[in-house]
Amino acid sequence: MQERILILDFGSQFTQLIARRIRELNIYSEIVPFNKIPKLDEGIKGIILSGSPFSVEDPNALNIDLDQILNKRPILGVCYGSQYLAKHLGGKVERSAKREYGRAKLATVPTNDALFNGITADSQVWMSHADTIQDVPDGFEVTCSTKSIPVAGFKNSNGEYQFPIYGLQFHPEVTHTTQGKELLKNFAVDICKCKQDWTPASFVEDTVNGLKDQLDNDKVVLGLSGGVDSSVAALLLHKAIGSNLYCIFIDNGLLRKNEFEDVLETYKDLGLNVIGVNAQDAFLNKLEDVSDPETKRKIIGNTFIDVFDEEAHKIKDVKWLAQGTIYPDVIESVSVHGPSVTIKSHHNVGGLPEQMNLKIVEPLRFLFKDEVRKVGKELELPINILSRHPFPGPGLAIRILSDITREKVKILQEADAIFINGLREHNLYDEVWQAGTMLLPVQSVGVMGDERTYENVVSLRAVTSLDGMTADWCHLPYEFLAEVSNEIINNVKGINRVVYDISSKPPATIEWE
């Protein structure tokens, strides 16, 4: 059974960071909503209570039954989690005179405590809370403080509890807490006794063995996109069931220039059984004159289902549909606040499971995006797919900010190819998380030779990120941007102006639609 740290999510924006930091230690971590605590099997070695945007003093505060976890595993409360422990074990928590947010320095740390082993007294930490722990419960003691916060951390100090209970008022999971990773390692390794054996190689071995047991000799169909997630899922399934995996790669007419042919060629070299389907007309005919982004997504999603379903039914006796679902999708679907009402349609493959009446297999459902890449590297996925930037499911349709026509698709494909190829040629591609070109519903005046022009505007977009949840615009060299702009304007008929998007996420999103 896989050893793991269980993280109870109270809705903090940092909860996924806790899981990431634990996983960076080669220890598996699992996030569950605070109100869905699973049975504590022997694989669960410790429990972390996350932060929260809520206050423990609120009448509608998020509450759990502490008897489910006390005296059962070591516990670490972070921010709201620590305040909750303090209040419900008999301490005193009050609203802060003002919200404490930002960097602080530890003023005192214990000299002989497992959690603070190697942590220095002037270590920088990150505060983000509106409540303050005034008094720790009976049988507990203060472990650390800052200049302005007497109780920055606490722990149980008597023998009432079989397992240690710690609370931290600050967030060890964020990079602004400079020794936060050491704190989490002390908790997971030294206190919870987790082995650091969760690696890409161990994941591949365990997953392939699990897939063999789950699927037996059944046939599985998978929709390939040419991206990292579906490709890694395909390789895992191929290692488990070989030729019983059937992959379908659909050209919706909205891929990048030459992408359909290039990706099919790559898949051939991997030994995968891939069926390429040219369905450009089916998609582009339905998208004609459609400009609303959500309508575009629904048309593309529904058409994909129809085309995929038709191709899949040509394969006899298929029992499973494989999907490249990754962990952030799983977390979103069981969020503290419930599934987001703003999830864009065409997420994965929409209504396929219901329409096809197949069982679902998701080999990547417990991995973050960067972990998928590490597993792909372990599986020797070719670098041109492994390092490929994320690409939206609806493709270029949501990068054309107006109605879809074949002419606009071609214009955007040509401009985008110049941008992406330029990034590769200047060794900038791997410095960028995601890049693309947007065709704007704007025309501008220009001069080419002796002629006045009135043509289209494109915006280049490049961002840096770890997982796409937040992103910063990429500071590409001015010389490179000038070269790309010049090449696009000179070579793509219909474009006479190029701009560069310098918006970060939030408040903007990575895509424009």
Side-chain angles (χ1 to χ4, degrees):
M1 182 174 292
Q2 180 66 58
E3 291 186 352
R4 62 199 186 279
I5 297 294
L6 185 69
I7 301 168
L8 303 186
D9 180 21
F10 288 90
S12 169
Q13 61 178 323
F14 299 137
T15 301
Q16 289 194 30
L17 281 180
I18 302 175
R20 286 183 164 278
R21 297 296 172 259
I22 297 294
R23 291 180 178 206
E24 287 168 6
L25 300 169
N26 292 334
I27 298 168
Y28 182 61
S29 59
E30 178 184 356
I31 299 172
V32 298
F34 72 97
N35 55 355
K36 295 183 180 178
I37 302 173
K39 181 181 178 182
L40 301 184
D41 59 54
E42 63 182 24
I44 297 174
K45 298 298 182 182
I47 300 171
I48 297 177
L49 279 61
S50 83
S52 176
F54 302 101
S55 165
V56 296
E57 294 300 293
D58 193 307
N60 297 316
L62 307 180
N63 290 293
I64 63 171
D65 179 4
L66 285 176
D67 288 338
Q68 288 184 266
I69 59 175
L70 290 176
N71 275 328
K72 293 182 172 64
R73 299 291 187 277
I75 295 172
L76 172 63
V78 173
C79 198
Y80 179 94
S82 70
Q83 296 158 4
Y84 190 90
L85 289 169
K87 178 176 180 178
H88 289 272
L89 294 177
K92 184 179 180 183
V93 179
E94 293 182 348
R95 297 274 188 168
S96 304
K98 64 177 182 178
R99 181 177 176 84
E100 293 162 326
Y101 182 84
R103 294 172 177 84
K105 293 259 187 175
L106 292 180
T108 62
V109 295
T111 56
N112 187 23
D113 184 272
L115 186 65
F116 287 86
N117 183 33
I119 308 301
T120 56
D122 62 346
S123 185
Q124 178 180 287
V125 297
W126 182 263
M127 298 288 182
S128 179
H129 58 95
D131 292 337
T132 298
I133 300 168
Q134 298 291 346
D135 297 311
V136 298
D138 290 341
F140 285 72
E141 64 183 35
V142 176
T143 55
C144 61
S145 62
T146 69
K147 184 176 179 181
S148 59
I149 302 175
V151 185
F154 63 88
K155 71 169 184 176
N156 60 308
S157 56
N158 61 18
E160 180 182 349
Y161 298 101
Q162 180 183 353
F163 293 96
I165 301 171
Y166 285 92
L168 296 174
Q169 184 64 79
F170 55 89
H171 288 270
E173 68 273 24
V174 302
T175 54
H176 300 302
T177 298
T178 53
Q179 292 184 295
K181 193 170 180 179
E182 287 87 339
L183 269 168
L184 291 173
K185 181 180 179 182
N186 290 341
F187 177 72
V189 177
D190 297 336
I191 295 171
C192 300
K193 308 300 181 186
C194 284
K195 299 171 188 170
Q196 295 176 271
D197 61 357
W198 193 69
T199 63
S202 70
F203 176 85
V204 170
E205 182 180 358
D206 292 345
T207 301
V208 170
N209 289 335
L211 289 170
K212 287 178 179 177
D213 292 339
Q214 181 182 10
L215 303 174
D216 196 21
N217 291 316
D218 292 346
K219 290 183 180 178
V220 179
V221 65
L222 166 69
L224 284 174
S225 68
V228 177
D229 296 345
S230 65
S231 299
V232 173
L235 288 181
L236 286 168
L237 286 159
H238 182 68
K239 282 181 73 73
I241 61 173
S243 60
N244 277 348
L245 171 66
Y246 294 81
C247 303
I248 299 174
F249 181 36
I250 297 172
D251 182 359
N252 59 10
L254 299 160
L255 302 176
R256 284 179 156 144
K257 183 179 179 180
N258 299 329
E259 185 173 19
F260 184 62
E261 296 79 10
D262 292 346
V263 171
L264 275 179
E265 194 62 35
T266 300
Y267 283 142
K268 272 185 194 174
D269 296 337
L270 293 175
L272 294 175
N273 178 20
V274 182
I275 302 164
V277 181
N278 185 336
Q280 292 187 19
D281 289 343
F283 286 85
L284 295 177
N285 289 343
K286 291 180 181 179
L287 286 167
E288 192 171 344
D289 298 326
V290 176
S291 57
D292 177 69
E294 190 61 13
T295 304
K296 290 179 188 176
R297 290 177 181 273
K298 287 178 179 175
I299 289 172
I300 293 167
N302 291 334
T303 306
F304 179 90
I305 290 171
D306 292 341
V307 174
F308 188 94
D309 187 45
E310 181 181 349
E311 292 298 324
H313 273 95
K314 296 176 183 177
I315 307 164
K316 293 183 179 179
D317 302 322
V318 172
K319 293 185 178 179
W320 296 84
L321 171 68
Q323 297 190 149
T325 308
I326 61 175
Y327 200 38
D329 307 330
V330 176
I331 296 169
E332 172 67 30
S333 69
V334 293
S335 164
V336 168
H337 309 287
S340 170
V341 296
T342 58
I343 295 176
K344 295 170 183 172
S345 49
H346 195 60
H347 183 68
N348 286 321
V349 284
L352 270 174
E354 295 84 3
Q355 177 160 330
M356 299 180 71
N357 195 28
L358 297 176
K359 294 181 283 188
I360 302 298
V361 57
E362 298 170 319
L364 308 178
R365 66 179 285 107
F366 297 118
L367 296 183
F368 288 104
K369 188 77 172 187
D370 55 319
E371 294 167 339
V372 175
R373 292 190 193 277
K374 290 175 183 176
V375 170
K377 185 176 182 181
E378 179 70 25
L379 291 165
E380 299 182 344
L381 182 68
I383 191 66
N384 61 314
I385 292 183
L386 186 64
S387 64
R388 186 176 185 258
H389 292 170
F391 188 66
L396 298 180
I398 59 169
R399 293 182 178 177
I400 297 172
L401 276 66
S402 60
D403 59 307
I404 307 296
T405 66
R406 284 170 169 76
E407 180 186 8
K408 289 178 183 177
V409 171
K410 183 167 178 54
I411 288 173
L412 184 54
Q413 283 177 330
E414 295 294 334
D416 184 72
I418 291 171
F419 182 32
I420 299 302
N421 291 338
L423 288 170
R424 294 188 189 279
E425 291 166 6
H426 288 75
N427 296 317
L428 295 168
Y429 187 85
D430 292 336
E431 295 180 21
V432 176
W433 160 263
Q434 185 171 344
T437 308
M438 317 294 161
L439 182 61
L440 307 186
V442 173
Q443 290 183 308
S444 72
V445 174
V447 177
M448 291 186 177
D450 295 326
E451 296 183 5
R452 179 180 181 274
T453 63
Y454 191 61
E455 294 182 332
N456 297 293
V457 180
V458 293
S459 175
L460 308 181
R461 177 75 158 143
V463 298
T464 56
S465 179
L466 285 175
D467 51 21
M469 296 176 66
T470 61
D472 194 12
W473 65 277
C474 193
H475 296 231
L476 296 174
Y478 293 150
E479 295 82 3
F480 167 75
L481 291 173
E483 181 180 319
V484 167
S485 173
N486 190 55
E487 190 172 350
I488 289 174
I489 292 171
N490 285 340
N491 290 281
V492 184
K493 187 177 180 181
I495 295 174
N496 70 354
R497 191 178 299 270
V498 176
V499 298
Y500 187 55
D501 182 351
I502 59 169
S503 310
S504 295
K505 177 187 178 181
T509 54
I510 296 176
E511 299 294 341
W512 280 41
E513 287 191 344

